[in-house]
Amino acid sequence: MIEDLKQDAEQRMAKSIEALGHAFNKIRTGRAHPSLLDGLMISYYGSDMPLNQVGNVNVLDARTLSISVWEKSMVPEVEKAIMKSDLGLNPVTTGELIRVPMPALTEETRKGFIKQAKSEAENARIAIRNIRRDVLSDIKDLLKEKEISEDDERRAGENIQKITDKYIQQVDKALSVKEVDLMEI
């Protein structure tokens, strides 16, 4: 019973780390990376489609993405979606190929992105602590129903805390890597 709770907690905490990775991918660094445009939705014949289902996103060089759209009629739609996104990118179209140059980050924008990264990391820490709280309350319920002993409850609580500490450390490590990435010129 306790093992199931621990496994569930580990799975949920791992998902929090994964979500943090996705959030970090959306924070733009000075380098071009295809995952930067992952969340972009394109209006495709009346329904919204992810960009990767409308065309290919490739890296031309360190500061330029290229998007080759499969249908020529969709080029203006993709351009519009990139301009409307809050990424601050201005696409350049040459026929069927859309080039997206990455503007150099100023010191001010870097600090803003670091602040955003810290906020995302704090949200991940909060999510992990909430998972810990939920599991500990489930263990306390088992104790009240006399399904486990007090020693089992204490041991399980210590194990859950170790798991929580491990995932909090992963969040801190991911944040420091992202900060270094953002400050790199």
Side-chain angles (χ1 to χ4, degrees), residues 4-139:
D4 293 341
L5 289 173
K6 282 197 285 190
Q7 286 177 351
D8 179 52
E10 279 226 50
Q11 289 172 348
R12 289 170 56 196
M13 288 179 187
K15 285 181 184 173
S16 294
I17 297 291
E18 192 178 316
L20 178 67
H22 290 298
F24 278 175
N25 282 345
K26 289 185 178 122
I27 298 175
R28 182 167 69 86
T29 59
R31 289 190 306 273
H33 198 275
S35 67
L36 189 63
L37 301 174
D38 276 353
L40 215 55
M41 300 300 274
I42 312 301
S43 178
Y44 185 73
Y45 297 112
S47 63
D48 286 345
M49 302 282 285
L51 177 62
N52 62 6
Q53 292 183 11
V54 180
N56 288 331
V57 180
N58 297 310
V59 178
L60 281 182
D61 58 53
R63 292 195 178 268
T64 311
L65 288 175
S66 73
I67 304 164
S68 53
V69 182
W70 296 320
E71 286 184 43
K72 190 171 182 168
S73 63
M74 293 305 297
V75 171
E77 289 291 330
V78 172
E79 253 188 309
K80 251 189 273 179
I82 293 170
M83 282 192 252
K84 284 182 182 174
S85 72
D86 59 349
L87 296 171
L89 302 174
N90 293 316
V92 178
T93 305
T94 53
E96 293 178 22
L97 188 71
I98 301 172
R99 285 193 172 89
V100 184
M102 298 287 142
L105 297 177
T106 64
E107 186 73 24
E108 192 175 308
T109 54
R110 287 176 196 276
K111 287 180 179 172
F113 285 146
I114 287 175
K115 201 180 271 188
Q116 185 181 350
K118 286 180 179 178
S119 168
E120 294 290 348
E122 186 57 32
N123 290 342
R125 284 189 205 101
I126 289 169
I128 289 169
R129 289 183 195 122
N130 286 342
I131 294 166
R132 176 190 62 190
R133 183 197 61 215
D134 294 345
V135 171
L136 288 177
S137 101
D138 291 345
I139 290 171

Side-chain angles (χ1 to χ4, degrees), residues 134-184:
D134 294 345
V135 171
L136 288 177
S137 101
D138 291 345
I139 290 171
K140 278 192 178 25
D141 290 345
L142 289 175
L143 178 67
K144 285 180 189 171
E145 294 168 10
K146 305 270 189 230
E147 291 184 29
I148 60 171
S149 68
E150 286 183 19
D151 288 342
D152 290 340
E153 181 219 9
R154 188 180 46 74
R155 252 186 312 247
E158 289 171 0
N159 287 338
I160 296 297
Q161 185 58 48
K162 285 178 187 170
I163 292 169
T164 302
D165 292 342
K166 178 177 88 173
Y167 281 98
I168 295 281
Q169 270 184 335
Q170 287 181 15
V171 168
D172 293 340
K173 195 161 86 175
L175 176 63
S176 64
V177 167
K178 188 66 176 181
E179 282 179 335
V180 166
D181 201 21
L182 282 167
M183 289 313 289
E184 210 172 86

